[in-house]
Amino acid sequence: MKIKTAIKIKGLLAVLMISSIASATPISLPVDSVNEAGATWTSIDFNPAFNIGDASIPSHSDAFDEFFLVTVNNVDYIPSSSADQSNISVEGNPFGTAITAEKIAIDGLNVTGQYLFFSNLVGGSPTARLLVAIENPTAVARTAEVFIYGNLGSDESTAKRYSSSGDTSFFNNDSWIVTSDNPTTPSDPAVAFIAQGPSCLSSRTDLAIQISDNLITRFTFKLAPGETKRLASFVQLNSTNELAATGAAVFSSMTTVNAANLFGDLTSEVKATIANFGFTDCQADYRALVSDAINKTKKLSVGKGGKAAKSATQLADSHVDTFAGELALRTDKTVDELILSSELAVKAVNAAALAAKRSESNFVPLKSKALRALKKLINKIVAE
């Protein structure tokens, strides 16, 4: 028998609005169960906050004790019992069952939560998605601090088995983590929790921790007047730790996320508002720095020291440590590739600038080499 120990962390929320093909049917929470893709998702409730109370697969039962709780700016997202249920189809094919809770005002922000239980396996795993939408209806900029958290239900023997970074830790650089109650033969379902996709650094969770069988993530972001941002998180159920890791690996790059059509029910406009899943162009700032270096290198001429070109290139290079991990995820390049290309670009621009300053005869070929190095670098960070 499980003891409900869901930690009440103040300060998170998220909202989701899903574009559905089927019309919504008004329902009352709690929902006893939703059966999709071989999993049973149970006790979908609004108290103590919008949450999934339990879940099972045919071979393993008893996952979760109130999971996917949300708080925003230190207030729990507690909708009323009124909700909508929709059977979603995409291009005529069943996509999932959606349960959308009531929009409520929290600290002057409008928050909506939605669960989508996928009709098909994702990476071989039964999968559910939480989409939280947070709207700033005011005329002033606001900050939202959102916690997404809950109890895994696997009790005191719970431990991390795998993570997206390749170790068994759970930090804010992880897209996902696999936990279970046994390293080899879990009795409860092995759970993969997907906190975020390969998103921009500024939109990634700034807190990700495990305490016993509780997982806690926090996102903090600004909302312009009238702006809406969304957060997407997923859970998957499996019979083994290894299968759970295989399913979660789908979330490690936008290439596999898009191939799995994990957001196929949403419009491009809605997807662009999802802050934590790589739909926004987090390469733009870095590309701008490299483009600036290209333009200033083009202006190099004999006798000119090229200080502007050197400083622009060095500034871009100094951002590699900040952006390389994100760019590697978004472009399927490796961090080493990006770092090496950046270093070569810096050396090439410096050599061209020195040749210009000395009015050396090899200035023109060195300038061409510098431009090729910068263009090679920018080609590695093109948007997907």
Side-chain angles (χ1 to χ4, degrees):
M1 178 178 176
K2 292 183 178 176
I3 300 174
K4 292 192 174 183
T5 57
I7 294 178
K8 303 290 294 183
I9 302 294
K10 301 292 183 181
L12 151 68
L13 167 102
V15 169
L16 151 70
M17 296 298 294
I18 173 175
S19 59
S20 59
I21 304 293
S23 59
T25 301
I27 59 171
S28 294
L29 299 175
V31 173
D32 289 339
S33 64
V34 173
N35 297 294
E36 289 283 13
T40 300
W41 309 89
T42 308
S43 302
I44 300 149
D45 207 348
F46 65 101
N47 185 27
F50 195 45
N51 74 90
I52 298 175
D54 208 336
S56 63
I57 52 178
S59 58
H60 293 69
S61 62
D62 211 22
F64 306 134
D65 281 334
E66 298 170 355
F67 199 78
F68 272 157
L69 299 159
V70 173
T71 70
V72 177
N73 289 350
N74 218 32
V75 179
D76 294 322
Y77 172 57
I78 308 175
S80 72
S81 61
S82 298
D84 288 328
Q85 183 167 323
S86 304
N87 295 319
I88 308 297
S89 295
V90 174
E91 297 180 349
N93 299 311
F95 195 81
T97 299
I99 294 177
T100 306
E102 180 187 33
K103 181 195 315 187
I104 64 170
I106 296 179
D107 190 30
L109 302 171
N110 293 330
V111 180
T112 308
Q114 184 191 65
Y115 294 127
L116 178 71
F117 304 98
F118 285 80
S119 298
N120 298 310
L121 300 176
V122 175
S125 305
T127 302
R129 183 186 75 197
L130 168 66
L131 187 58
V132 179
I134 304 174
E135 175 198 9
N136 175 14
T138 75
V140 297
R142 296 293 308 278
T143 296
E145 182 188 49
V146 181
F147 281 85
I148 298 174
Y149 63 102
N151 188 280
L152 295 160
S154 40
D155 304 326
E156 64 277 355
S157 57
T158 301
K160 315 170 193 99
R161 309 302 175 191
Y162 295 95
S163 71
S164 59
S165 57
D167 56 27
T168 55
S169 299
F170 184 42
F171 295 118
N172 61 355
N173 64 326
D174 281 311
S175 291
W176 53 265
I177 182 175
V178 170
T179 63
S180 72
D181 57 12
N182 189 281
T184 56
T185 55
S187 57
D188 289 1
V191 174
F193 171 57
I194 296 86
Q196 57 203 348
S199 57
C200 308
L201 280 174
S202 60
S203 299
R204 294 180 75 82
T205 176
D206 53 15
L207 174 72
I209 59 174
Q210 177 199 4
I211 302 175
S212 183
D213 59 344
N214 295 276
L215 291 178
I216 305 162
T217 57
R218 181 184 65 201
F219 298 86
T220 305
F221 49 85
K222 294 186 181 300
L223 291 162
E227 184 179 16
T228 297
K229 286 187 178 180
R230 291 172 169 85
L231 297 172
S233 300
F234 295 76
V235 286
Q236 297 182 312
L237 307 178
N238 262 295
S239 57
T240 70
N241 301 319
E242 291 72 24
L243 288 173
T246 298
V250 170
F251 297 88
S252 294
S253 81
M254 287 307 292
T255 298
T256 49
V257 166
N258 290 329
N261 201 30
L262 293 166
F263 299 92
D265 56 315
L266 304 179
T267 65
S268 57
E269 291 79 11
V270 170
K271 287 191 288 188
T273 68
I274 300 174
N276 67 328
F277 243 91
F279 290 108
T280 53
D281 185 10
C282 57
Q283 295 122 279
D285 289 344
Y286 189 53
R287 269 204 313 274
L289 288 169
V290 180
S291 296
D292 184 49
I294 289 175
N295 291 332
K296 288 175 178 174
T297 301
K298 286 180 179 179
K299 295 177 181 178
L300 273 178
S301 59
V302 174
K304 300 283 187 177
K307 289 183 180 179
K310 289 175 63 176
S311 62
T313 311
Q314 288 164 352
L315 180 60
D317 184 62
S318 72
H319 282 65
V320 167
D321 287 340
T322 302
F323 286 98
E326 298 297 328
L327 297 176
L329 283 171
R330 295 292 302 280
T331 61
D332 291 332
K333 302 294 191 299
T334 68
V335 171
D336 288 344
E337 278 184 273
L338 293 163
I339 290 175
L340 178 59
S341 294
S342 188
E343 290 175 346
L344 291 174
V346 170
K347 289 179 180 178
V349 172
N350 285 346
L354 182 61
K357 184 178 181 179
R358 295 174 175 175
S359 299
E360 294 176 353
S361 59
N362 62 347
F363 162 66
V364 172
L366 287 175
K367 177 179 176 178
S368 298
K369 181 179 179 180
L371 288 170
R372 287 196 303 271
L374 287 168
K375 289 176 181 177
K376 183 177 180 180
L377 175 60
I378 209 167
N379 285 338
K380 290 184 180 295
I381 54 176
V382 294
E384 291 187 344

